[in-house]
Amino acid sequence: MSPRWLSPAPSGRPAPGPDFLGLGNPLPVILADLRQTRAGVIAVVLLIAVAVALGVGVSAQERALREGSAKGANAFDLIIGAPGSETQLVLSAVYLQASALPLIDGKIFTTLNENKNVKFAAPIGFGDSFNGYQIVGTTAALATLGDTAPLTAGRTFAHVTEAVIGADVQIPLGATFTPVHGQRAVIGQEVEHTHLQYTAVGRMLRMGNPWDRAILVPIEAVWWVHGLPAGHAQYQDIFDLATHADEAPGADETPEQHAAEVAAATKAAANLPIGAPWDTNLLSGVPAIVVKPATFAAAYSLRQTYRQRTDTMAVFPAEVLIQLYSLIGDVRSLLAVISVVTQVLVIGAILLAVLATLALRRKTIAVLRALGASQAYVFVTVWLNVSLMIATGAMLGLGLGWIAAIVISRVFTDRTGLALPVHLGAPEFILAGSIVVIGLFLAAVPSLLTYRQPVSATLRQ
Amino acid sequence: MLLARRRFFAVAGGAAFALSAGSVPFGSARAATAPQVRIGDLYIDPNAEDLEFSKVANDLNGKPVQVYGFMAPPLKPDLHFFVLASMPLNTCPFCDTAASWPSDILVVQLRHRQPVVGFDQALLVNGRLELGEAIDPDTGFVSRARIADAEYDVAKVAKPCAFGQTCPGA
């Protein structure tokens, strides 16, 4: 049976479709040919797509990681902590990665808040959690980032029993909850701090980092709940009451008596003061302090001041991030090389496959020529055929890489809370584009080979 | 591949700089004519509590200038601006005990992003001098003196050479 594309056009009517450079329309022939070798074409397109997707995905993902982490750190200009690992301090304070940070003197943040070149300085105290959401003790200034990020609902905490929740925390405003010790409580084995319950009173603006899954409470609450001086004399007065309520019901008291103790402690806690003015003799240590300087000069002078002290360390998150980026960049370049090599191999393999099928098709091409098709027509037909597959594969790969990057970002965000916005940029389009351009050139090789075939010799075979 | 491109620009920039005669950076014609200013010369007394701009600084306000300096530790990971200091603060632990630090810093607002260079590299920054307090819209930080619309190049440093000789590249 002769292939469909060889059936002659009805006489008297020109072949339908566009006329290609006066050669006749090659599209019906190409489409017919692609249809005939459907399985092979799909395999070739998919191969190219996967190779391109690898390169595009790595490139887009790396940028997403860079942009996401930079955006996530935007609200944090200067972090002060105890001397040690800068990376660990930044990971803990900015990305809320739990780690045992040594404490620094709590007086430092009160001193900083008196500095006119400081917009705000807020302590960060970790330790407790509720339903998997980390509870972070701080001051009201951090909840609104010094009035630059207004709450989306409610108000900031005004009592030690109130909490402001992150954008993604699934607790309704007005709900009351009891914190548990540690980050991840064993279900049924939670060590609760029963003498202190928080009520959610406000919701923070989305920050695009793990703070969206954090619960912010007054730093006094974190200190007090752990039996530490809480910055105000009033906390000392009801300390025994609170501690007693926190213990398991004793043998000598009925559950009712214990419940009454808890109620009394909770009631007493509601009247405790929070925030400035502090009793500087009763301030406990904090793992980190977030500072928002007012001027460029202040940012550097504060960094300097707290670096020169022997008991503190100060770092711009950007310093750590840039080190991290150069590391990620190295990995990315390695993967980029691998992906380029893959693409070259794939295109090489495809050209080989095309050459192999051309040998099989030698006869039909000769027939085509004998029917009156010009050499140029044959060249264009074969070239377009190969180019079409490469271009389709590259486009598909661009989309595939983009989708892959989005999926990886989703998984990453789900695990860490850090939002990674994926979008295709110039590098990805250049990557896919260069594959297409290289492919178009290389597609000329099999085309030229068929172009030079002698018709009569082939027909005689 | 693209990182390689970035590196290529860095190398190309450096190469162009090395090719151009003397201390004049590659590219713009205005760079050749822009007067050089030292960061310390911008203020009457850099150690004073209340910094006052010098006559030199006021005369050059709004005009293209060239300034030598070192990149201070980055405030933001996204390099569309950086802070220029007169000394390599990240690598010289003794330099920053000077009382003038950190008053005599310049905020350099880049015309376009440029590759990060080492903090110990001397830079030659070209741009327009801007004096007076201004708030950076992105970071909310106040600055007193800026170089706007800037570009920078790694300054040529002298190679080590024997005593009594003039070192090449100086």
Side-chain angles (χ1 to χ4, degrees):
Chain A
M1 202 183 95
S2 68
R4 208 185 303 171
W5 47 269
L6 279 182
S7 58
S11 58
R13 261 194 288 149
D19 191 32
F20 195 84
L21 297 174
L23 300 170
N25 180 14
L27 286 181
V29 176
I30 295 169
L31 290 178
D33 192 48
L34 290 177
R35 248 198 312 272
Q36 210 181 19
T37 52
R38 203 175 298 142
V41 169
I42 291 173
V44 162
V45 168
L46 281 182
L47 263 180
I48 298 177
V50 170
V52 171
L54 182 66
V56 167
V58 166
S59 173
Q61 191 65 61
E62 190 248 2
R63 182 153 22 112
L65 196 59
R66 255 186 307 129
E67 287 179 1
S69 57
K71 207 163 167 280
N74 225 356
F76 302 87
D77 295 295
L78 180 69
I79 315 276
I80 298 177
S85 160
E86 291 182 354
T87 311
Q88 197 185 37
L89 179 63
V90 170
L91 285 179
S92 297
V94 178
Y95 304 105
L96 295 179
Q97 296 291 307
S99 62
L101 288 178
L103 303 181
I104 55 169
D105 193 345
K107 287 190 194 80
I108 293 170
F109 84 84
T110 55
T111 316
L112 278 168
N113 274 322
E114 287 156 15
N115 186 331
K116 67 173 167 41
N117 284 326
V118 171
K119 273 193 186 154
F120 74 84
I124 300 183
F126 322 98
D128 295 340
S129 65
F130 171 73
N131 277 12
Y133 299 117
Q134 201 164 341
I135 294 181
V136 186
T138 184
T139 55
L142 191 67
T144 57
L145 299 176
D147 291 329
T148 57
L151 299 183
T152 53
R155 55 175 174 83
T156 61
F157 41 73
H159 294 282
V160 73
T161 52
E162 290 178 343
V164 172
I165 56 181
D168 290 335
V169 174
Q170 290 176 22
I171 296 174
L173 288 194
T176 298
F177 54 93
T178 306
V180 300
H181 259 301
Q183 302 298 333
R184 302 220 193 293
V186 179
I187 295 167
Q189 298 293 315
E190 297 93 342
V191 182
E192 288 193 337
H193 297 288
T194 44
H195 74 273
L196 191 60
Q197 290 185 320
Y198 299 113
T199 305
V201 294
R203 193 178 283 279
M204 279 170 80
L205 197 67
R206 183 172 295 281
M207 294 174 79
N209 64 18
W211 285 78
D212 290 338
R213 295 182 189 174
I215 298 170
L216 275 66
V217 299
I219 184 76
E220 289 91 339
V222 174
W223 281 331
W224 191 49
V225 107
H226 291 97
L228 297 164
H232 306 277
Q234 291 88 330
Y235 286 80
Q236 305 294 100
D237 303 341
I238 62 163
F239 201 74
D240 287 343
L241 183 65
T243 319
H244 204 70
D246 217 11
E247 286 165 358
D252 54 337
E253 60 182 0
T254 62
E256 288 78 24
Q257 278 173 324
H258 185 71
E261 270 176 6
V262 172
T266 310
K267 190 159 171 274
N271 294 320
L272 293 168
I274 60 162
W278 305 89
D279 185 336
T280 49
N281 294 321
L282 293 172
L283 288 168
S284 296
V286 290
I289 296 171
V290 178
V291 186
K292 175 81 192 174
T295 67
F296 282 101
Y300 284 92
S301 80
L302 289 169
R303 176 181 177 277
Q304 203 51 43
T305 310
Y306 287 95
R307 261 179 186 253
Q308 275 170 355
R309 285 172 60 143
T310 51
D311 60 338
T312 58
M313 169 176 85
V315 61
F316 298 140
E319 296 177 66
V320 171
L321 287 179
I322 281 181
Q323 283 172 22
L324 215 64
Y325 294 165
S326 89
L327 208 67
I328 297 171
D330 287 346
V331 174
R332 204 267 312 249
S333 350
L334 183 71
L335 286 172
V337 170
I338 294 172
S339 117
V340 167
V341 171
T342 316
Q343 283 158 18
V344 168
L345 283 178
V346 163
I347 290 190
I350 284 157
L351 288 180
L352 271 179
V354 169
L355 283 176
T357 54
L358 275 183
L360 295 175
R361 263 183 267 169
R362 196 172 274 191
K363 208 141 201 169
T364 41
I365 288 169
V367 169
L368 200 60
R369 288 287 314 280
L371 284 174
S374 66
Q375 278 190 323
Y377 181 85
V378 170
F379 175 87
V380 166
T381 306
V382 176
W383 182 78
L384 268 181
N385 197 333
V386 179
S387 304
L388 215 62
M389 287 193 286
I390 294 177
T392 313
M395 297 259 252
L396 204 65
L398 203 60
L400 216 61
W402 182 56
I403 292 169
I406 288 177
V407 170
I408 294 171
S409 279
R410 285 263 169 86
V411 172
F412 188 88
T413 307
D414 203 47
R415 283 202 192 154
T416 63
L418 184 66
L420 301 183
V422 175
H423 53 89
L424 293 183
E428 288 78 51
F429 287 109
I430 292 170
L431 183 79
S434 49
I435 291 298
V436 172
V437 170
I438 293 168
L440 297 190
F441 274 108
L442 290 178
V445 175
S447 316
L448 279 175
L449 287 178
T450 53
Y451 181 87
R452 290 171 51 193
Q453 264 174 42
V455 180
S456 50
T458 317
L459 276 180
R460 229 176 282 132
Q461 278 169 4
Chain B
M1 215 164 87
L2 283 144
L3 194 85
R5 194 175 62 128
R6 211 189 296 158
R7 284 207 185 118
F8 167 73
F9 281 137
V11 173
F17 181 73
L19 284 172
S20 61
S23 61
V24 180
F26 75 101
S28 59
R30 75 164 192 187
T33 53
Q36 270 190 21
V37 196
R38 278 163 33 132
I39 294 181
D41 291 342
L42 291 176
Y43 302 99
I44 292 173
D45 178 9
N47 296 324
E49 181 79 8
D50 215 1
L51 287 166
E52 234 179 290
F53 290 119
S54 65
K55 185 177 180 301
V56 182
N58 281 319
D59 286 349
L60 288 171
N61 193 3
K63 297 194 180 117
V65 289
Q66 288 192 335
V67 192
Y68 276 103
F70 296 88
M71 201 184 272
L75 248 177
K76 292 288 159 189
D78 200 9
L79 198 73
H80 63 279
F81 76 87
F82 68 92
V83 169
L84 192 72
S86 54
M87 289 176 206
L89 296 153
N90 239 26
T91 51
C92 172
F94 311 107
C95 296
D96 48 23
T97 48
S100 60
W101 166 256
S103 311
D104 62 346
I105 55 168
L106 269 173
V107 175
V108 178
Q109 295 162 338
L110 292 172
R111 185 185 304 169
H112 48 77
R113 278 169 207 215
Q114 286 188 256
V116 184
V117 296
F119 299 115
D120 55 342
Q121 298 255 42
L123 304 179
L124 181 57
V125 178
N126 271 285
R128 195 177 65 250
L129 184 67
E130 279 184 4
L131 302 180
E133 285 202 349
I135 297 175
D136 182 69
D138 292 337
T139 58
F141 289 135
V142 175
S143 62
R144 296 208 63 207
R146 290 160 304 285
I147 303 207
D149 205 16
E151 279 177 334
Y152 68 80
D153 261 292
V154 176
K156 224 169 163 185
V157 281
K159 287 188 185 128
C161 62
F163 179 74
Q165 289 183 335
T166 310
C167 293

